[in-house]
Amino acid sequence: MRKPIIAGNWKMFKTSAEAVLLAREVREAVADLGQVEVVLCPPFTALAAVEGIIADSKIGLGAQNMFWEEQGAFTGEISPLMLQGLCDYVILGHSERRQYFGETDETVNKKMKAALFHKLIPIVCVGENLAQNEAGETEAFVGSQIKGAFAGLSAEQATKIVVAYEPIWAIGTGKTATPEQANRIIVASIRQVLAELYDNNVAETVRVQYGGSVNPGNVEGFMGQPDIDGALVGGASLKADSFVTLVKGALVKFR
Ligand code: PGA
């Protein structure tokens, strides 16, 4: 069975001091939940401080973005070399990066390769916007994002990756896909495309999260689906009690 993975994407929230407090609360509350992998993704400025809090726990640390070059005249960017050894994961191609910062399938692919080279596990985000959803283009669009993101990766590299299926219209809006819809898209546009690109083993090994307005009230519905292995959580990850409830929600897989 694929190990469930619940990741908190703190986006551009939390000073270092606030991040330390939240990480400490989460660490205390999830200490005994070894069946679920928990990952915290604070802003860059809080990564080292949060690492100090979770270092002796099983909680993983993720960055929210990175550039693909190791170093150079790229003012304001963070390189994989800087994250290697500090983080376990890096979120790549989040829809907010694609929408506001011009990221494309091509730049996401460069980042995927750089991350894997530096032993960082990508949490790569895909998902359609409302117009695409209403036009019935979801499967084709998400499938093309998967092909773009995985281009040139070996099967061995591919199996390590975590994919987050996040319909853009569901992020931060309180609207969600139904668990059945999300599961269907994940099978049709992610697992089947991975089976075409690689084989059934890769398609069945890659962990796929759902993201977009996951909250304590709806988490079990998503986690009850066979092809949803976890959640990438924004708003509901900013408070320890709601995030911890989400982590516990993933235990539905073991009932
Ligand atoms: P949300 O964000 O949970 O606030 O909808 C999810 C995400 O953007 O990863």
Side-chain angles (χ1 to χ4, degrees):
M1 181 178 155
R2 297 178 294 263
K3 187 167 188 178
I5 175 167
I6 306 286
N9 171 13
W10 296 357
K11 308 195 183 191
M12 200 175 73
F13 293 98
K14 305 289 174 191
T15 63
S16 239
E18 290 166 343
V20 162
L21 290 178
L22 178 54
R24 195 173 283 142
E25 284 184 85
V26 171
R27 186 196 63 188
E28 278 159 21
V30 303
D32 302 328
L33 293 174
Q35 293 152 297
V36 181
E37 194 170 344
V38 179
V39 180
L40 303 181
C41 304
F44 289 127
T45 45
L47 280 173
V50 170
E51 160 64 10
I53 302 297
I54 62 177
D56 58 353
S57 77
K58 290 197 183 118
I59 299 174
L61 187 66
Q64 298 175 16
N65 177 36
M66 59 164 220
F67 194 49
W68 58 82
E69 294 285 351
E70 288 188 347
Q71 57 183 9
F74 302 105
T75 301
E77 290 295 315
I78 298 289
S79 90
L81 209 53
M82 297 166 184
L83 298 178
Q84 184 172 8
L86 175 63
C87 297
D88 314 287
Y89 290 90
V90 58
I91 300 173
L92 295 177
H94 190 280
S95 65
E96 287 150 17
R97 303 282 331 158
R98 296 180 194 253
Q99 187 178 351
Y100 304 125
F101 304 99
E103 297 207 10
T104 63
D105 288 341
E106 199 186 349
T107 59
V108 171
N109 180 246
K110 286 186 181 182
K111 293 179 178 198
M112 296 275 282
K113 289 174 178 159
L116 289 161
F117 184 79
H118 288 279
K119 307 205 166 7
L120 297 160
I121 300 175
I123 299 177
V124 63
C125 303
V126 294
E128 82 287 359
N129 65 28
L130 188 58
Q132 289 165 325
N133 183 280
E134 287 175 347
E137 293 165 5
T138 299
E139 287 183 22
F141 181 73
V142 173
S144 74
Q145 287 185 312
I146 291 291
K147 286 183 190 150
F150 282 75
L153 299 187
S154 68
E156 197 203 334
Q157 289 176 312
T159 53
K160 299 195 176 107
I161 289 162
V162 177
V163 177
Y165 168 58
E166 300 201 304
I168 297 173
W169 49 270
I171 296 177
T173 58
K175 292 184 205 153
T176 64
T178 67
E180 293 75 18
Q181 273 170 343
N183 197 77
R184 189 174 53 71
I185 300 300
I186 286 169
V187 171
S189 332
I190 301 176
R191 296 208 192 277
Q192 278 174 19
V193 172
L194 290 173
E196 283 163 31
L197 292 175
Y198 301 98
D199 53 33
N200 284 339
N201 178 49
V202 173
E204 290 303 318
T205 306
V206 167
R207 291 187 292 173
V208 184
Q209 299 173 311
Y210 170 79
S213 298
V214 177
N215 64 42
N218 62 25
V219 65
E220 288 200 0
F222 289 108
M223 292 307 112
Q225 293 292 319
D227 285 284
I228 301 180
D229 306 313
L232 182 58
V233 188
S237 74
L238 297 173
K239 289 217 166 77
D241 55 354
S242 63
F243 185 64
V244 169
T245 308
L246 296 185
V247 174
K248 290 182 178 158
L251 293 173
V252 77
K253 296 256 178 225
F254 302 95
R255 270 183 223 146

